[in-house]
């Protein structure tokens, strides 16, 4: 309660208490979350993408995946709670590597699990059983296929 409430007169004190008891909307309610449009993203380093996704999740941003392609680490945006995809986007999935070079078995398993944790359950199972073993090129999945698996459509 502001210090001025303590020095208010009796009549003013009731008003001050009423104002102090009035709920204030949280910042998340008062400020609409930003919308981030991802277009034609060819991927990048996993560690950088993980930081970006954590920032988007924390901010409550909506992520819309549009354009022609969302390849490699771009697919990890599917972990953002407020996500939607355009049915015409082609998503490209492949397993982890170090700039195309194989990882040690332990690192391969670790990074595969991290990547998979960013996918809806059906996609996660497929990624872990099939797609992660491809480290050259991509398995292509359309936005329409992801929508049929439960990902919201933009």
């Amino acid at each position: 309660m502001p210090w001025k409430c303590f020095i208010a007169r009796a009549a003013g004190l009731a008003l001050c208490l009423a104002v102090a008891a009035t709920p204030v909307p949280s910042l998340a309610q008062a400020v609409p979350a930003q919308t981030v449009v991802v277009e034609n993203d060819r991927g990048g380093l996993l560690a950088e993408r993980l930081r970006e996704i954590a920032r988007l999740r924390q901010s409550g941003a909506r992520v819309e995946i549009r354009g022609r392609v969302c390849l490699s680490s771009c697919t990890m945006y599917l972990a953002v709670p407020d996500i939607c995809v355009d049915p015409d986007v082609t998503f490209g999935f492949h397993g982890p590597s170090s700039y195309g070079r194989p990882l040690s078995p332990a690192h391969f398993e670790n990074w595969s699990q991290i990547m998979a944790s960013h996918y809806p359950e059906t996609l996660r199972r497929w990624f872990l059983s099939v797609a992660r073993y491809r480290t050259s090129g991509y398995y292509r999945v359309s936005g329409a296929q992801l929508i049929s698996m439960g990902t919201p459509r933009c």
Side-chain angles (χ1 to χ4, degrees):
M1 188 173 348
W3 66 272
K4 290 181 182 178
C5 292
F6 291 112
I7 60 172
R9 294 185 190 161
L13 183 57
L15 176 60
C16 185
L17 290 174
V19 170
T22 304
V24 177
S26 72
L27 185 59
Q29 294 169 334
V31 179
Q34 72 183 65
T35 298
V36 176
V37 178
V38 176
E39 291 184 290
N40 304 319
D41 187 324
R42 303 190 82 69
L45 298 175
L46 288 174
E48 289 176 11
R49 191 68 65 162
L50 289 170
R51 284 190 292 275
E52 174 66 8
I53 290 167
R55 186 188 66 74
L56 291 169
R57 291 179 108 183
Q58 184 177 21
S59 73
R62 174 177 178 76
V63 175
E64 298 180 359
I65 302 178
R66 300 180 177 276
R68 294 183 58 235
V69 296
C70 176
L71 306 176
S72 191
S73 67
C74 174
T75 63
M76 293 169 57
Y77 281 120
L78 294 169
V80 176
D82 192 1
I83 183 80
C84 69
V85 301
D86 184 283
D88 296 327
V89 176
T90 297
F91 289 78
F93 295 87
H94 66 83
S97 67
S98 178
Y99 300 99
R101 292 185 307 271
L103 300 174
S104 71
H107 283 108
F108 178 81
E109 184 62 30
N110 180 59
W111 285 108
S112 292
Q113 293 296 329
I114 289 170
M115 292 171 70
S117 72
H118 288 78
Y119 302 142
E121 185 58 36
T122 303
L123 189 60
R124 179 180 306 135
R125 284 193 309 267
W126 169 77
F127 177 81
L128 288 172
S129 65
V130 176
R132 72 174 171 162
Y133 297 108
R134 184 172 194 170
T135 56
S136 175
Y138 304 96
Y139 283 107
R140 287 170 168 64
V141 177
S142 71
Q145 289 171 298
L146 292 177
I147 292 166
S148 74
M149 289 184 231
T151 302
R153 178 186 182 138
C154 294

